[in-house]
Amino acid sequence: ILNVEQSPQSLHVQEGDSTNFTCSFPSSNFYALHWYRWETAKSPEALFVMTLNGDEKKKGRISATLNTKEGYSYLYIKGSQPEDSATYLCASPYNNNDMRFGAGTRLTVKP
Amino acid sequence: AAGVIQSPRHLIKEKRETATLKCYPIPRHDTVYWYQQGPGQDPQFLISFYEKMQSDKGSIPDRFSAQQFSDYHSELNMSSLELGDSALYFCASSPPGSGGYHEQYFGPGTRLTVT
């Protein structure tokens, strides 16, 4: 994988459902994996920065895991709420600074 | 808490004109990044600065230039504007240390429309 890829492109869930989506990134020359939450008409908000294989981070109902050997990260949202509706971006620095973003997963949580 | 400030928030220019976008990072952040997001596209990294020196260059056209000043604010200068330059331009900053390992804090963006 040469680019950062995310799947699915969009996701519709009901309030209370738990959900997860995937970010795939180049596993060679890995520096870090960033997750951002991006609401319409706002700027991206940093969720997690992950650097170690096997790392797992949690912020409230949102958590993420990292597998640097196979080049993927999962973002989990437990008990989705309508306010979780946003685009979730992952990004990985191509080198120390050149951040490459995925296309994002657009999550819609229906009340 | 202070956030990244970008100005102007909206800018309308005609083809072949020039534009200057400004970014004021969070205080004590020494690294600034510029991104371009075209309609329906992923954000694309343009250029970054660390301690007033260009640290990395992405897909920035030759018509664009940027610099970081002594107070760490940065300006993106865009000349000979084309219709395809219409996009949302984000600036982000990160605290001292290795850039790739630190969260980037994004500004609200400048929406540039070229007519």
Side-chain angles (χ1 to χ4, degrees), chain A residues 4 30-34 36 38 41-49 51 59 89 93 95-104, chain B residues 9 31 33 35 37 42-45 48 50 55-58 88 90 94 97-109:
Chain A
V4 177
F30 175 79
Y31 283 90
L33 192 284
H34 297 238
Y36 292 90
W38 198 345
K42 294 184 179 180
S43 50
E45 172 198 352
L47 288 175
F48 305 114
V49 180
T51 56
K59 185 181 287 188
L89 289 173
N95 49 40
N96 208 20
N97 278 318
D98 181 359
M99 193 77 81
R100 301 294 170 90
F101 283 83
Chain B
R9 295 292 307 277
T31 307
Y33 313 80
Y35 296 90
Q37 188 187 29
D42 321 335
Q44 295 293 321
F45 170 73
S48 64
Y50 166 67
S55 64
D56 209 350
K57 198 170 182 179
L88 192 55
F90 283 103
S94 63
S98 179
Y101 299 100
H102 284 266
E103 293 175 346
Q104 294 186 13
Y105 296 83
F106 282 77

Short mmCIF file of all heavy atoms in Angstrom, two decimals, chain A residues 4 30-34 36 38 41-49 51 59 89 93 95-104, chain B residues 9 31 33 35 37 42-45 48 50 55-58 88 90 94 97-109:
data_model
loop_
_atom_site.label_atom_id
_atom_site.label_comp_id
_atom_site.label_asym_id
_atom_site.label_seq_id
_atom_site.Cartn_x
_atom_site.Cartn_y
_atom_site.Cartn_z
N VAL A 4 -2.58 6.20 2.04
CA VAL A 4 -3.44 5.95 3.19
C VAL A 4 -4.86 5.73 2.66
O VAL A 4 -5.36 6.54 1.90
CB VAL A 4 -3.39 7.13 4.16
CG1 VAL A 4 -4.35 6.92 5.32
CG2 VAL A 4 -1.96 7.34 4.67
N PHE A 30 7.36 3.52 8.92
CA PHE A 30 6.24 4.04 9.69
C PHE A 30 6.73 5.01 10.77
O PHE A 30 7.71 4.72 11.47
CB PHE A 30 5.47 2.88 10.33
CG PHE A 30 4.37 3.33 11.25
CD1 PHE A 30 3.16 3.75 10.73
CD2 PHE A 30 4.55 3.35 12.62
CE1 PHE A 30 2.14 4.17 11.57
CE2 PHE A 30 3.55 3.77 13.47
CZ PHE A 30 2.34 4.17 12.94
N TYR A 31 6.05 6.14 10.87
CA TYR A 31 6.36 7.11 11.93
C TYR A 31 5.24 7.16 12.95
O TYR A 31 5.46 7.07 14.15
CB TYR A 31 6.55 8.51 11.34
CG TYR A 31 7.87 8.73 10.65
CD1 TYR A 31 8.01 8.45 9.30
CD2 TYR A 31 8.97 9.20 11.33
CE1 TYR A 31 9.21 8.64 8.66
CE2 TYR A 31 10.19 9.40 10.70
CZ TYR A 31 10.29 9.11 9.36
OH TYR A 31 11.49 9.30 8.72
N ALA A 32 4.03 7.37 12.46
CA ALA A 32 2.91 7.56 13.36
C ALA A 32 1.61 7.46 12.57
O ALA A 32 1.61 7.55 11.34
CB ALA A 32 2.98 8.93 14.06
N LEU A 33 0.53 7.27 13.27
CA LEU A 33 -0.79 7.22 12.66
C LEU A 33 -1.68 8.17 13.46
O LEU A 33 -1.77 8.06 14.69
CB LEU A 33 -1.34 5.79 12.70
CG LEU A 33 -2.57 5.41 11.88
CD1 LEU A 33 -3.87 5.92 12.52
CD2 LEU A 33 -2.48 5.89 10.44
N HIS A 34 -2.29 9.10 12.73
CA HIS A 34 -3.14 10.10 13.38
C HIS A 34 -4.59 9.85 13.01
O HIS A 34 -4.90 9.52 11.85
CB HIS A 34 -2.79 11.50 12.88
CG HIS A 34 -1.40 11.95 13.20
ND1 HIS A 34 -1.15 13.09 13.92
CD2 HIS A 34 -0.19 11.44 12.89
CE1 HIS A 34 0.16 13.26 14.04
NE2 HIS A 34 0.77 12.27 13.43
N TYR A 36 -8.32 11.89 13.09
CA TYR A 36 -8.96 13.19 13.27
C TYR A 36 -10.46 13.04 13.09
O TYR A 36 -10.93 12.22 12.30
CB TYR A 36 -8.47 14.20 12.23
CG TYR A 36 -7.02 14.59 12.38
CD1 TYR A 36 -6.02 13.88 11.73
CD2 TYR A 36 -6.65 15.67 13.17
CE1 TYR A 36 -4.69 14.23 11.87
CE2 TYR A 36 -5.33 16.03 13.31
CZ TYR A 36 -4.35 15.31 12.66
OH TYR A 36 -3.04 15.67 12.80
N TRP A 38 -13.67 15.27 11.87
CA TRP A 38 -13.89 16.48 11.08
C TRP A 38 -15.37 16.67 10.85
O TRP A 38 -15.99 15.96 10.06
CB TRP A 38 -13.15 16.35 9.75
CG TRP A 38 -12.94 17.63 9.03
CD1 TRP A 38 -13.56 18.83 9.27
CD2 TRP A 38 -12.06 17.84 7.93
NE1 TRP A 38 -13.10 19.77 8.41
CE2 TRP A 38 -12.17 19.21 7.57
CE3 TRP A 38 -11.19 17.03 7.23
CZ2 TRP A 38 -11.43 19.75 6.54
CZ3 TRP A 38 -10.46 17.58 6.19
CH2 TRP A 38 -10.58 18.92 5.86
N ALA A 41 -17.96 22.16 8.10
CA ALA A 41 -17.76 23.59 8.35
C ALA A 41 -16.86 23.86 9.56
O ALA A 41 -16.78 24.99 10.03
CB ALA A 41 -19.09 24.31 8.53
N LYS A 42 -16.18 22.84 10.05
CA LYS A 42 -15.22 23.05 11.13
C LYS A 42 -13.87 22.51 10.69
O LYS A 42 -13.76 21.84 9.68
CB LYS A 42 -15.67 22.34 12.40
CG LYS A 42 -16.95 22.90 13.01
CD LYS A 42 -17.26 22.21 14.32
CE LYS A 42 -18.52 22.78 14.94
NZ LYS A 42 -18.85 22.10 16.22
N SER A 43 -12.83 22.79 11.46
CA SER A 43 -11.51 22.25 11.12
C SER A 43 -11.32 20.89 11.81
O SER A 43 -11.98 20.58 12.79
CB SER A 43 -10.42 23.23 11.53
OG SER A 43 -10.60 23.66 12.86
N PRO A 44 -10.44 20.08 11.26
CA PRO A 44 -10.21 18.75 11.86
C PRO A 44 -9.76 18.86 13.31
O PRO A 44 -8.97 19.72 13.67
CB PRO A 44 -9.11 18.16 10.99
CG PRO A 44 -9.18 18.90 9.70
CD PRO A 44 -9.62 20.28 10.07
N GLU A 45 -10.28 17.93 14.11
CA GLU A 45 -9.94 17.89 15.53
C GLU A 45 -9.15 16.62 15.79
O GLU A 45 -9.60 15.53 15.44
CB GLU A 45 -11.22 17.89 16.36
CG GLU A 45 -11.02 17.65 17.85
CD GLU A 45 -12.32 17.23 18.51
OE1 GLU A 45 -13.38 17.26 17.86
OE2 GLU A 45 -12.26 16.83 19.69
N ALA A 46 -7.98 16.76 16.38
CA ALA A 46 -7.14 15.60 16.65
C ALA A 46 -7.79 14.68 17.67
O ALA A 46 -8.25 15.14 18.71
CB ALA A 46 -5.77 16.04 17.13
N LEU A 47 -7.85 13.40 17.36
CA LEU A 47 -8.36 12.40 18.31
C LEU A 47 -7.20 11.64 18.95
O LEU A 47 -7.08 11.60 20.17
CB LEU A 47 -9.28 11.40 17.60
CG LEU A 47 -10.65 11.90 17.16
CD1 LEU A 47 -11.37 10.82 16.36
CD2 LEU A 47 -11.48 12.32 18.35
N PHE A 48 -6.40 11.01 18.12
CA PHE A 48 -5.31 10.18 18.64
C PHE A 48 -4.08 10.31 17.76
O PHE A 48 -4.19 10.52 16.56
CB PHE A 48 -5.70 8.68 18.63
CG PHE A 48 -6.97 8.35 19.35
CD1 PHE A 48 -8.07 7.87 18.64
CD2 PHE A 48 -7.07 8.49 20.72
CE1 PHE A 48 -9.25 7.55 19.29
CE2 PHE A 48 -8.25 8.17 21.38
CZ PHE A 48 -9.33 7.70 20.66
N VAL A 49 -2.91 10.16 18.38
CA VAL A 49 -1.67 9.93 17.65
C VAL A 49 -1.11 8.62 18.19
O VAL A 49 -0.94 8.46 19.40
CB VAL A 49 -0.64 11.05 17.87
CG1 VAL A 49 0.63 10.74 17.08
CG2 VAL A 49 -1.20 12.38 17.46
N THR A 51 1.81 5.49 17.82
CA THR A 51 3.14 5.24 17.28
C THR A 51 3.62 3.80 17.47
O THR A 51 4.46 3.33 16.71
CB THR A 51 4.17 6.17 17.94
OG1 THR A 51 4.12 6.00 19.36
CG2 THR A 51 3.87 7.63 17.61
N LYS A 59 -10.66 7.50 24.14
CA LYS A 59 -11.13 8.82 24.55
C LYS A 59 -12.64 8.75 24.63
O LYS A 59 -13.33 8.77 23.62
CB LYS A 59 -10.68 9.88 23.55
CG LYS A 59 -11.00 11.30 23.94
CD LYS A 59 -10.56 12.31 22.87
CE LYS A 59 -9.07 12.50 22.83
NZ LYS A 59 -8.66 13.61 21.92
N LEU A 89 -11.00 11.04 9.77
CA LEU A 89 -9.84 10.98 8.90
C LEU A 89 -8.69 10.30 9.61
O LEU A 89 -8.48 10.54 10.79
CB LEU A 89 -9.37 12.39 8.53
CG LEU A 89 -10.21 13.24 7.60
CD1 LEU A 89 -9.64 14.64 7.54
CD2 LEU A 89 -10.26 12.65 6.22
N PRO A 93 2.34 10.28 8.48
CA PRO A 93 3.41 11.06 7.86
C PRO A 93 4.19 10.21 6.88
O PRO A 93 4.68 9.14 7.22
CB PRO A 93 4.28 11.47 9.04
CG PRO A 93 3.47 11.25 10.26
CD PRO A 93 2.53 10.14 9.93
N ASN A 95 7.00 11.12 5.57
CA ASN A 95 8.26 11.17 6.30
C ASN A 95 7.93 11.90 7.59
O ASN A 95 6.80 11.84 8.05
CB ASN A 95 9.36 11.85 5.48
CG ASN A 95 8.88 13.15 4.91
OD1 ASN A 95 8.18 13.91 5.58
ND2 ASN A 95 9.20 13.43 3.67
N ASN A 96 8.85 12.61 8.15
CA ASN A 96 8.58 13.16 9.48
C ASN A 96 7.48 14.21 9.49
O ASN A 96 6.84 14.43 10.50
CB ASN A 96 9.85 13.73 10.08
CG ASN A 96 9.82 13.66 11.60
OD1 ASN A 96 9.06 12.90 12.18
ND2 ASN A 96 10.62 14.47 12.23
N ASN A 97 7.25 14.89 8.39
CA ASN A 97 6.28 15.97 8.40
C ASN A 97 5.21 15.87 7.33
O ASN A 97 4.14 16.42 7.48
CB ASN A 97 6.99 17.33 8.22
CG ASN A 97 7.55 17.83 9.52
OD1 ASN A 97 6.91 17.73 10.55
ND2 ASN A 97 8.73 18.36 9.49
N ASP A 98 5.49 15.20 6.24
CA ASP A 98 4.59 15.20 5.09
C ASP A 98 3.41 14.28 5.39
O ASP A 98 3.46 13.08 5.15
CB ASP A 98 5.36 14.73 3.86
CG ASP A 98 4.51 14.72 2.60
OD1 ASP A 98 3.32 15.04 2.69
OD2 ASP A 98 5.05 14.36 1.55
N MET A 99 2.34 14.84 5.90
CA MET A 99 1.20 14.05 6.35
C MET A 99 0.34 13.65 5.16
O MET A 99 -0.10 14.49 4.39
CB MET A 99 0.37 14.88 7.33
CG MET A 99 -0.64 14.06 8.07
SD MET A 99 0.10 13.10 9.38
CE MET A 99 0.21 14.36 10.64
N ARG A 100 0.10 12.38 5.02
CA ARG A 100 -0.78 11.88 3.96
C ARG A 100 -2.10 11.44 4.58
O ARG A 100 -2.11 10.59 5.47
CB ARG A 100 -0.13 10.70 3.23
CG ARG A 100 1.20 11.05 2.59
CD ARG A 100 1.05 12.07 1.46
NE ARG A 100 2.31 12.59 0.98
CZ ARG A 100 3.04 12.06 0.01
NH1 ARG A 100 2.62 10.97 -0.61
NH2 ARG A 100 4.17 12.61 -0.37
N PHE A 101 -3.18 12.03 4.10
CA PHE A 101 -4.50 11.75 4.64
C PHE A 101 -5.24 10.71 3.82
O PHE A 101 -5.09 10.64 2.60
CB PHE A 101 -5.36 13.02 4.65
CG PHE A 101 -5.01 13.98 5.75
CD1 PHE A 101 -3.96 14.87 5.61
CD2 PHE A 101 -5.75 14.01 6.93
CE1 PHE A 101 -3.64 15.76 6.62
CE2 PHE A 101 -5.44 14.90 7.94
CZ PHE A 101 -4.39 15.77 7.78
N GLY A 102 -6.05 9.94 4.50
CA GLY A 102 -7.02 9.10 3.81
C GLY A 102 -8.21 9.94 3.38
O GLY A 102 -8.30 11.12 3.71
N ALA A 103 -9.11 9.33 2.64
CA ALA A 103 -10.28 10.05 2.14
C ALA A 103 -11.35 10.22 3.21
O ALA A 103 -12.29 10.98 3.02
CB ALA A 103 -10.86 9.32 0.93
N GLY A 104 -11.20 9.51 4.31
CA GLY A 104 -12.14 9.67 5.41
C GLY A 104 -13.30 8.68 5.34
O GLY A 104 -13.64 8.15 4.28
N ARG B 9 -10.79 34.54 6.34
CA ARG B 9 -11.57 33.31 6.34
C ARG B 9 -12.13 33.01 4.95
O ARG B 9 -12.29 31.84 4.59
CB ARG B 9 -12.71 33.41 7.35
CG ARG B 9 -12.26 33.52 8.79
CD ARG B 9 -11.60 32.22 9.29
NE ARG B 9 -12.45 31.08 9.05
CZ ARG B 9 -13.43 30.70 9.84
NH1 ARG B 9 -13.68 31.38 10.95
NH2 ARG B 9 -14.17 29.64 9.56
N THR B 31 6.05 24.52 14.62
CA THR B 31 5.91 23.88 13.31
C THR B 31 4.55 24.24 12.71
O THR B 31 3.53 24.18 13.40
CB THR B 31 6.03 22.35 13.42
OG1 THR B 31 7.25 22.04 14.10
CG2 THR B 31 6.05 21.70 12.05
N TYR B 33 2.04 23.77 9.19
CA TYR B 33 1.75 22.97 7.99
C TYR B 33 0.66 23.67 7.19
O TYR B 33 -0.27 24.23 7.76
CB TYR B 33 1.24 21.58 8.36
CG TYR B 33 2.03 20.86 9.41
CD1 TYR B 33 1.85 21.15 10.77
CD2 TYR B 33 2.93 19.86 9.07
CE1 TYR B 33 2.57 20.47 11.74
CE2 TYR B 33 3.64 19.16 10.05
CZ TYR B 33 3.46 19.48 11.37
OH TYR B 33 4.16 18.81 12.34
N TYR B 35 -2.26 22.90 4.14
CA TYR B 35 -2.98 21.88 3.39
C TYR B 35 -3.98 22.55 2.46
O TYR B 35 -4.52 23.60 2.77
CB TYR B 35 -3.76 20.95 4.33
CG TYR B 35 -2.90 20.14 5.24
CD1 TYR B 35 -2.54 20.61 6.50
CD2 TYR B 35 -2.45 18.89 4.86
CE1 TYR B 35 -1.75 19.86 7.35
CE2 TYR B 35 -1.65 18.12 5.70
CZ TYR B 35 -1.31 18.63 6.94
OH TYR B 35 -0.52 17.88 7.78
N GLN B 37 -7.55 21.63 0.40
CA GLN B 37 -8.63 20.68 0.20
C GLN B 37 -9.56 21.19 -0.87
O GLN B 37 -10.34 22.13 -0.64
CB GLN B 37 -9.39 20.41 1.49
CG GLN B 37 -10.39 19.26 1.31
CD GLN B 37 -11.29 19.07 2.49
OE1 GLN B 37 -11.59 20.01 3.20
NE2 GLN B 37 -11.73 17.84 2.71
N ASP B 42 -9.60 14.82 -0.65
CA ASP B 42 -8.88 14.71 0.62
C ASP B 42 -8.01 15.95 0.79
O ASP B 42 -7.59 16.56 -0.18
CB ASP B 42 -7.92 13.51 0.63
CG ASP B 42 -8.46 12.28 -0.06
OD1 ASP B 42 -9.69 12.16 -0.12
OD2 ASP B 42 -7.63 11.48 -0.52
N PRO B 43 -7.70 16.26 2.03
CA PRO B 43 -6.70 17.32 2.23
C PRO B 43 -5.36 16.89 1.64
O PRO B 43 -4.95 15.74 1.80
CB PRO B 43 -6.60 17.42 3.75
CG PRO B 43 -7.80 16.72 4.29
CD PRO B 43 -8.19 15.70 3.29
N GLN B 44 -4.70 17.81 0.96
CA GLN B 44 -3.39 17.53 0.37
C GLN B 44 -2.35 18.40 1.06
O GLN B 44 -2.51 19.61 1.17
CB GLN B 44 -3.40 17.85 -1.13
CG GLN B 44 -4.33 16.97 -1.95
CD GLN B 44 -3.88 15.54 -2.00
OE1 GLN B 44 -2.70 15.24 -2.09
NE2 GLN B 44 -4.84 14.62 -1.89
N PHE B 45 -1.28 17.76 1.49
CA PHE B 45 -0.21 18.49 2.15
C PHE B 45 0.52 19.36 1.13
O PHE B 45 0.89 18.91 0.04
CB PHE B 45 0.76 17.48 2.78
CG PHE B 45 2.03 18.08 3.29
CD1 PHE B 45 2.03 18.85 4.44
CD2 PHE B 45 3.22 17.86 2.63
CE1 PHE B 45 3.20 19.40 4.92
CE2 PHE B 45 4.40 18.41 3.10
CZ PHE B 45 4.39 19.17 4.25
N SER B 48 5.56 22.54 4.85
CA SER B 48 5.64 22.73 6.29
C SER B 48 6.90 23.49 6.65
O SER B 48 7.88 23.50 5.89
CB SER B 48 5.58 21.39 7.03
OG SER B 48 6.71 20.60 6.70
N TYR B 50 9.51 24.43 10.07
CA TYR B 50 9.93 24.18 11.44
C TYR B 50 10.98 25.21 11.80
O TYR B 50 11.98 25.35 11.09
CB TYR B 50 10.49 22.75 11.56
CG TYR B 50 11.24 22.49 12.84
CD1 TYR B 50 10.56 22.48 14.06
CD2 TYR B 50 12.61 22.27 12.84
CE1 TYR B 50 11.24 22.26 15.24
CE2 TYR B 50 13.30 22.04 14.02
CZ TYR B 50 12.61 22.04 15.21
OH TYR B 50 13.27 21.82 16.39
N SER B 55 10.62 22.71 6.13
CA SER B 55 11.05 21.38 6.56
C SER B 55 10.61 20.29 5.61
O SER B 55 11.25 19.25 5.54
CB SER B 55 10.54 21.07 7.97
OG SER B 55 9.14 21.03 7.99
N ASP B 56 9.53 20.52 4.90
CA ASP B 56 9.05 19.50 3.98
C ASP B 56 8.16 20.14 2.92
O ASP B 56 7.56 21.18 3.17
CB ASP B 56 8.26 18.43 4.74
CG ASP B 56 8.35 17.08 4.05
OD1 ASP B 56 8.85 17.02 2.92
OD2 ASP B 56 7.91 16.09 4.65
N LYS B 57 8.14 19.53 1.78
CA LYS B 57 7.38 20.07 0.66
C LYS B 57 6.56 18.96 0.04
O LYS B 57 7.08 17.87 -0.25
CB LYS B 57 8.35 20.65 -0.37
CG LYS B 57 7.76 21.61 -1.35
CD LYS B 57 8.87 22.30 -2.14
CE LYS B 57 8.30 23.31 -3.11
NZ LYS B 57 9.37 24.00 -3.87
N GLY B 58 5.28 19.23 -0.13
CA GLY B 58 4.40 18.25 -0.73
C GLY B 58 4.03 18.67 -2.13
O GLY B 58 4.86 19.08 -2.92
N LEU B 88 -10.33 24.98 0.02
CA LEU B 88 -10.19 25.35 1.43
C LEU B 88 -8.74 25.12 1.80
O LEU B 88 -8.20 24.04 1.57
CB LEU B 88 -11.13 24.48 2.26
CG LEU B 88 -11.41 24.83 3.71
CD1 LEU B 88 -11.92 26.25 3.83
CD2 LEU B 88 -12.41 23.85 4.29
N PHE B 90 -6.11 24.92 4.74
CA PHE B 90 -5.95 24.77 6.19
C PHE B 90 -4.50 24.97 6.58
O PHE B 90 -3.58 24.55 5.89
CB PHE B 90 -6.37 23.36 6.64
CG PHE B 90 -7.85 23.15 6.71
CD1 PHE B 90 -8.49 22.45 5.72
CD2 PHE B 90 -8.58 23.65 7.77
CE1 PHE B 90 -9.87 22.24 5.78
CE2 PHE B 90 -9.96 23.45 7.85
CZ PHE B 90 -10.59 22.74 6.84
N SER B 94 1.94 22.40 15.33
CA SER B 94 2.21 21.37 16.32
C SER B 94 3.31 21.86 17.26
O SER B 94 4.11 22.74 16.89
CB SER B 94 2.58 20.04 15.67
OG SER B 94 3.76 20.14 14.93
N GLY B 97 9.14 19.54 18.95
CA GLY B 97 9.44 18.11 18.95
C GLY B 97 9.32 17.56 17.54
O GLY B 97 9.12 18.30 16.59
N SER B 98 9.41 16.27 17.43
CA SER B 98 9.36 15.63 16.13
C SER B 98 7.97 15.77 15.51
O SER B 98 7.00 15.29 16.04
CB SER B 98 9.71 14.15 16.29
OG SER B 98 9.64 13.49 15.06
N GLY B 99 7.91 16.46 14.38
CA GLY B 99 6.61 16.83 13.81
C GLY B 99 5.66 15.68 13.60
O GLY B 99 4.49 15.77 13.91
N GLY B 100 6.15 14.57 13.05
CA GLY B 100 5.25 13.48 12.71
C GLY B 100 4.61 12.80 13.89
O GLY B 100 3.59 12.12 13.76
N TYR B 101 5.18 12.99 15.06
CA TYR B 101 4.68 12.30 16.24
C TYR B 101 3.69 13.13 17.04
O TYR B 101 3.13 12.67 18.01
CB TYR B 101 5.85 11.89 17.15
CG TYR B 101 6.82 10.95 16.48
CD1 TYR B 101 8.01 11.42 15.96
CD2 TYR B 101 6.53 9.61 16.38
CE1 TYR B 101 8.89 10.55 15.34
CE2 TYR B 101 7.42 8.73 15.76
CZ TYR B 101 8.60 9.21 15.25
OH TYR B 101 9.47 8.36 14.64
N HIS B 102 3.54 14.38 16.64
CA HIS B 102 2.71 15.26 17.43
C HIS B 102 1.39 15.56 16.74
O HIS B 102 1.33 15.66 15.52
CB HIS B 102 3.43 16.57 17.73
CG HIS B 102 4.47 16.42 18.80
ND1 HIS B 102 4.21 16.68 20.12
CD2 HIS B 102 5.75 16.00 18.74
CE1 HIS B 102 5.30 16.43 20.83
NE2 HIS B 102 6.24 16.04 20.03
N GLU B 103 0.37 15.73 17.56
CA GLU B 103 -0.92 16.13 17.02
C GLU B 103 -0.78 17.46 16.30
O GLU B 103 -0.03 18.33 16.74
CB GLU B 103 -1.94 16.30 18.14
CG GLU B 103 -2.30 15.02 18.84
CD GLU B 103 -3.22 15.26 20.01
OE1 GLU B 103 -3.35 16.42 20.42
OE2 GLU B 103 -3.80 14.30 20.50
N GLN B 104 -1.52 17.57 15.23
CA GLN B 104 -1.59 18.84 14.55
C GLN B 104 -2.90 19.50 14.92
O GLN B 104 -3.95 18.86 14.92
CB GLN B 104 -1.49 18.65 13.04
CG GLN B 104 -0.15 18.11 12.60
CD GLN B 104 -0.01 18.05 11.10
OE1 GLN B 104 -0.80 18.61 10.36
NE2 GLN B 104 1.03 17.40 10.63
N TYR B 105 -2.83 20.74 15.23
CA TYR B 105 -4.01 21.52 15.59
C TYR B 105 -4.34 22.41 14.40
O TYR B 105 -3.52 23.23 13.99
CB TYR B 105 -3.75 22.33 16.85
CG TYR B 105 -3.48 21.46 18.06
CD1 TYR B 105 -2.21 20.95 18.29
CD2 TYR B 105 -4.51 21.13 18.94
CE1 TYR B 105 -1.97 20.12 19.38
CE2 TYR B 105 -4.27 20.32 20.03
CZ TYR B 105 -3.00 19.82 20.24
OH TYR B 105 -2.76 19.00 21.32
N PHE B 106 -5.54 22.23 13.91
CA PHE B 106 -5.91 22.88 12.66
C PHE B 106 -6.61 24.22 12.91
O PHE B 106 -7.37 24.38 13.87
CB PHE B 106 -6.84 21.99 11.85
CG PHE B 106 -6.12 20.88 11.13
CD1 PHE B 106 -5.70 19.76 11.81
CD2 PHE B 106 -5.86 20.97 9.78
CE1 PHE B 106 -5.04 18.73 11.16
CE2 PHE B 106 -5.19 19.95 9.12
CZ PHE B 106 -4.78 18.83 9.81
N GLY B 107 -6.34 25.15 12.03
CA GLY B 107 -7.10 26.40 12.01
C GLY B 107 -8.42 26.20 11.32
O GLY B 107 -8.71 25.12 10.79
N PRO B 108 -9.25 27.25 11.28
CA PRO B 108 -10.58 27.14 10.69
C PRO B 108 -10.57 27.10 9.18
O PRO B 108 -11.58 26.78 8.56
CB PRO B 108 -11.29 28.40 11.20
CG PRO B 108 -10.17 29.37 11.42
CD PRO B 108 -9.00 28.56 11.87
N GLY B 109 -9.44 27.40 8.57
CA GLY B 109 -9.35 27.36 7.12
C GLY B 109 -9.66 28.70 6.47
O GLY B 109 -10.35 29.55 7.03
#
